[in-house]
Amino acid sequence: MLKPNKLAKNNFLSSLDLSTYEVLHILDLANNFKNKKLNIDLGNKVLGLIFDKSSTRTRVSFQVAMNRLGGTTIDLNPSTSQIGRGEPIKDTARVLSRYCDVIAIRTFDHLDLEEYAKWSTKPVINALTDLEHPCQALADFLTIKEEFLDFKDVVLTFIGDGNNVANSLILCGALLGVEVRIACPKGYEPNSLVIDKAYEIYKNKNMLKITNDLDTAVLGANVLYTDVWSSMGEENQKDEKEKVFNGFTIDSDLVNKADKDAIILHCLPAYRSKEITDEIFESHKSRIFDQAENRLHAQQALLSCIIQ
Ligand code: CP
Ligand code: NVA
């Protein structure tokens, strides 16, 4: 029977904290958890959740995943804990390390996440920062693997803002050798350090394309993926971005330019008629709710490797 292996790194702050082998192992475990072929009781471990931003999927999937592993979660709302009053991260991290076995953090600045990890004596998981959303990428590639069985010859085209979700797709895609194309308006490209790191990993440099030309990016793609144009924390840019991103909506015309068997993904929450039309969101090509479900299985697998 497949057993969770301990990961080489203690923390999961970035997609690059995992090796290719470890990503594939987590996806295998996730598949086994999903198909009820694997049942692991970690025995009363505690996951602390610190969410400086809103969340439905990440919060609930972590809670259910811990529950299924025989553990519990403590949900720390910054506004009702001392975190919101400005207690230094280094103090909060050392205190929580005495109570919790693992901590998942959703915050704005990636440096704050790294500060938690520096002071915590327990593993820290990135539950989304402005830079990355690596847990999301695990569920996304699990969904892609379910559809195409392996990653060979899969072309993943992300359409929209070069944001945290795009950054993690690029990095995890590079580890898995998936061809990733990002189509975004000029000035909204993904983080340049992320792009550089991905090119270092890819053996073939043509496997990652960042372009402002939507049609080229979509041609023959097997997966069309989008996310909101304005992420949490960018509410003041909403009006401007809606103008700049005009034309970057996944609609039926765009889907028709992709491979005929292409699937549609969205990390959610979605703004219909902005980044995706309601018709495409609800279409048979959409795997969006499988993808959301897979957050649970992927994180259960991740936790089973991290808590050892
Ligand atoms: N996709 C995702 O992270 O959703 P939540 O913001 O609801 O957690
Ligand atoms: N890019 C989005 C993802 C939400 C899950 C955000 O950061 O708000």
Side-chain angles (χ1 to χ4, degrees), residues 54-59 106 133 136 232 267-269 295:
S54 305
S55 171
T56 299
R57 280 144 288 270
T58 309
R59 189 197 306 276
R106 169 169 287 198
H133 197 3
Q136 179 70 54
M232 289 179 278
C267 59
L268 299 178
R295 296 292 308 276

Side-chain angles (χ1 to χ4, degrees), residues 38-77:
L38 191 58
N39 189 11
I40 287 173
D41 189 340
L42 296 175
N44 236 352
K45 301 287 183 185
V46 178
L47 165 68
L49 297 169
I50 302 175
F51 279 60
D52 286 334
K53 295 178 177 182
S54 305
S55 171
T56 299
R57 280 144 288 270
T58 309
R59 189 197 306 276
V60 177
S61 55
F62 266 122
Q63 288 168 332
V64 176
M66 265 321 265
N67 197 282
R68 290 191 180 181
L69 291 167
T72 52
T73 52
I74 296 175
D75 196 354
L76 287 145
N77 180 343

Side-chain angles (χ1 to χ4, degrees), residues 10-201:
N10 214 26
N11 300 313
F12 185 51
L13 309 185
S14 162
S15 291
L16 289 192
D17 284 335
L18 299 178
S19 65
T20 301
Y21 170 81
E22 287 172 334
V23 175
L24 292 170
H25 176 62
I26 287 170
L27 299 187
D28 272 354
L29 287 170
N31 182 265
N32 277 258
F33 278 124
K34 184 170 184 172
N35 294 308
K36 311 233 174 322
K37 288 186 200 148
L38 191 58
N39 189 11
I40 287 173
D41 189 340
L42 296 175
N44 236 352
K45 301 287 183 185
V46 178
L47 165 68
L49 297 169
I50 302 175
F51 279 60
D52 286 334
K53 295 178 177 182
S54 305
S55 171
T56 299
R57 280 144 288 270
T58 309
R59 189 197 306 276
V60 177
S61 55
F62 266 122
Q63 288 168 332
V64 176
M66 265 321 265
N67 197 282
R68 290 191 180 181
L69 291 167
T72 52
T73 52
I74 296 175
D75 196 354
L76 287 145
N77 180 343
S79 65
T80 52
S81 68
Q82 303 293 9
I83 296 169
R85 268 181 60 197
E87 182 167 7
I89 288 174
K90 61 183 179 183
D91 294 353
T92 306
R94 282 179 288 183
V95 170
L96 292 181
S97 299
R98 304 286 178 109
Y99 306 140
C100 300
D101 300 286
V102 52
I103 304 167
I105 298 164
R106 169 169 287 198
T107 193
F108 294 84
D109 191 340
H110 196 80
L111 291 174
D112 285 346
L113 177 79
E114 290 179 345
E115 175 81 354
Y116 272 108
K118 179 178 165 193
W119 291 97
S120 172
T121 58
K122 299 291 167 57
V124 171
I125 296 173
N126 182 352
L128 181 148
T129 63
D130 290 346
L131 184 64
E132 274 202 58
H133 197 3
C135 292
Q136 179 70 54
L138 290 176
D140 300 340
F141 284 105
L142 177 60
T143 314
I144 292 169
K145 192 161 189 274
E146 283 174 347
E147 187 72 27
F148 299 103
L149 305 180
D150 66 33
F151 298 114
K152 203 172 155 298
D153 301 327
V154 170
V155 176
L156 162 61
T157 298
F158 178 93
I159 298 151
D161 189 26
N163 61 16
N164 43 12
V165 169
N167 289 335
S168 287
L169 285 173
I170 289 173
L171 294 173
C172 200
L175 289 173
L176 295 170
V178 174
E179 180 174 340
V180 176
R181 303 175 187 164
I182 308 288
C184 59
K186 207 167 167 33
Y188 293 91
E189 287 80 10
N191 180 284
S192 59
L193 292 177
V194 163
I195 295 172
D196 290 347
K197 280 185 194 161
Y199 278 128
E200 279 171 28
I201 298 167

Side-chain angles (χ1 to χ4, degrees), residues 179 198-199 201-208:
E179 180 174 340
Y199 278 128
I201 298 167
Y202 278 118
K203 292 187 184 83
N204 175 352
K205 306 285 174 216
N206 293 325
M207 296 292 274
L208 174 63

